[in-house]
């Protein structure tokens, strides 16, 4: 069982919603320091002040960071300079907007920033390059496990996160580097992410409210609890389903079987 006690944890998109819930929870569980990366300065600074008042000066550091820019590289470097190391990196920042004016930014935030954050963490943590190991937790979605016409770009981004994280976390890489990679697939969660969903056209956008009503909605606390369970119990390369307010469920076997089917004929 893995424990966040006395660890340095970095959370992207950490000033509100699930990210803020993660920050609060790991501090309550004894994290040594927590770094919050977020673009929202007002919320980030307020959360930093609140939690430092509760847990002690310099326990939490907010760094303004647009993960879709080069600020992400600078933020990681600042975090390491401040606290000496990063034991856990949770790539949580994301948006759900397939609209023609936003989808490129969606890809950058949901895919490029997750890959960049993961590789930055990987280089810091890897035991074969003077690190001491660590854990990367990447946030995918239930849309990576199904096929739907409503959000093709968002679905593609979350599918990319699932595949990237599973491949980076393969046991042979973990054995060499000591860097564990865990993937969490969230179901619909009551955050600002689902308040305004953009689609590629107005016809699809009109279908979203009815579709969302059919999706079981979970609270932030349930989502955070599921992520913590996955962090504490997940092997590298594992995938966890956290949806509908149910306890976290490991679905690594399902993903493995799915790829066994998809790969039929590849090596023949």
């Amino acid at each position: 069982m893995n424990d966040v006690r006395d660890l340095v944890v970095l959370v992207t998109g950490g000033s509100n919603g699930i990210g803020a819930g993660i920050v609060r929870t790991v501090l309550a569980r004894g994290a040594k320091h927590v770094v919050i990366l977020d673009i929202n300065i007002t919320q980030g600074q307020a959360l930093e002040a609140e939690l430092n008042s509760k847990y002690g000066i310099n326990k939490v550091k907010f760094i303004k960071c647009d993960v879709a820019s080069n600020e992400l590289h600078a933020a990681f470097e600042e975090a390491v300079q401040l606290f000496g190391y990063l034991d856990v990196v949770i790539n949580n920042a994301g948006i759900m907007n397939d609209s023609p004016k936003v989808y490129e930014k969606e890809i950058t935030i949901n895919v490029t920033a997750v890959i960049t954050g993961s590789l930055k963490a990987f280089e810091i943590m890897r035991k074969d390059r003077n690190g001491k190991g660590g854990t990367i937790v990447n946030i995918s979605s239930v849309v990576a496990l199904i096929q739907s016409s409503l959000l093709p770009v968002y679905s593609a981004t979350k599918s990319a996160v699932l595949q990237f994280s599973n491949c980076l976390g393969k046991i042979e890489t973990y054995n060499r580097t000591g860097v564990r990679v865990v993937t969490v697939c969230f179901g619909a969660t009551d955050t600002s992410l689902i308040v305004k969903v953009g689609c590629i056209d107005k016809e699809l956008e009109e279908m979203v409210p009815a579709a969302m009503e059919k999706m079981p909605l979970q609270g932030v606390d349930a989502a955070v609890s599921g992520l913590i369970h996955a962090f504490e119990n997940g092997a590298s390369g594992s995938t966890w389903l956290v949806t509908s307010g149910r306890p976290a469920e490991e679905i690594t076997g399902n993903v493995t079987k799915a790829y066994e089917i998809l790969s039929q004929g590849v090596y023949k």
Side-chain angles (χ1 to χ4, degrees):
M1 182 174 178
N2 297 280
D3 192 338
V4 297
R5 185 172 299 277
D6 296 325
L7 300 184
V8 180
V9 182
L10 181 148
V11 184
T12 70
S15 71
N16 62 82
I18 293 172
I22 295 168
V23 170
R24 294 179 187 279
T25 300
V26 297
L27 280 167
R29 287 171 174 258
K32 185 177 182 180
H33 296 288
V34 178
V35 181
I36 301 168
L37 303 190
D38 205 287
I39 198 169
N40 192 314
I41 296 173
T42 301
Q43 289 182 329
Q45 289 179 341
L47 186 61
E48 175 191 67
E50 173 198 335
L51 296 175
N52 279 336
S53 176
K54 182 175 182 179
Y55 291 99
I57 296 173
N58 205 36
K59 197 76 172 177
V60 177
K61 175 62 177 178
F62 166 72
I63 300 174
K64 186 268 178 183
C65 177
D66 177 359
V67 299
S69 74
N70 284 332
E71 290 179 1
L72 186 59
H73 294 275
F76 267 78
E77 291 165 8
E78 182 177 349
V80 173
Q81 288 175 357
L82 282 169
F83 300 125
Y85 197 72
L86 295 175
D87 297 286
V88 183
V89 168
I90 302 174
N91 288 302
N92 165 74
I95 63 172
M96 185 190 295
N97 195 327
D98 283 11
S99 65
K101 294 182 179 180
V102 182
Y103 80 87
E104 290 182 323
K105 182 177 181 180
E106 179 181 46
I107 294 169
T108 301
I109 293 173
N110 291 5
V111 182
T112 306
V114 169
I115 292 174
T116 298
S118 296
L119 295 182
K120 294 289 287 186
F122 193 76
E123 287 304 311
I124 292 165
M125 297 172 180
R126 56 189 301 173
K127 289 182 176 180
D128 59 339
R129 301 281 175 84
N130 299 317
K132 57 182 181 179
T135 299
I136 300 165
V137 180
N138 287 336
I139 308 303
S140 182
S141 167
V142 293
V143 301
L145 310 173
I146 62 174
Q147 290 188 320
S148 168
S149 63
L150 289 181
L151 293 164
V153 182
Y154 182 73
S155 298
T157 66
K158 292 304 183 179
S159 297
V161 170
L162 176 62
Q163 177 75 324
F164 166 73
S165 304
N166 284 176
C167 292
L168 183 64
K170 284 289 187 181
I171 192 65
E172 55 267 31
T173 305
Y174 171 74
N175 287 341
R176 179 166 53 88
T177 65
V179 182
R180 183 174 62 124
V181 185
V182 176
T183 310
V184 176
C185 294
F186 282 136
T189 305
D190 189 12
T191 69
S192 59
L193 191 71
I194 64 171
V195 173
K196 174 60 177 175
V197 178
C199 296
I200 61 174
D201 59 33
K202 66 178 182 179
E203 288 82 5
L204 286 173
E205 212 157 276
E206 289 169 356
M207 299 178 190
V208 168
M212 293 300 295
E213 286 181 6
K214 295 178 182 178
M215 291 288 291
L217 190 66
Q218 67 184 357
V220 168
D221 288 348
V224 173
S225 178
L227 182 143
I228 294 297
H229 181 85
F231 170 82
E232 291 178 339
N233 295 279
S236 190
S238 64
T239 303
W240 295 77
L241 178 63
V242 178
T243 189
S244 310
R246 304 194 307 259
E249 174 187 358
E250 184 174 2
I251 59 169
T252 309
N254 291 348
V255 176
T256 300
K257 289 177 184 177
Y259 274 100
E260 286 174 355
I261 293 170
L262 287 171
S263 65
Q264 289 176 6
V266 171
Y267 296 107
K268 291 182 181 179

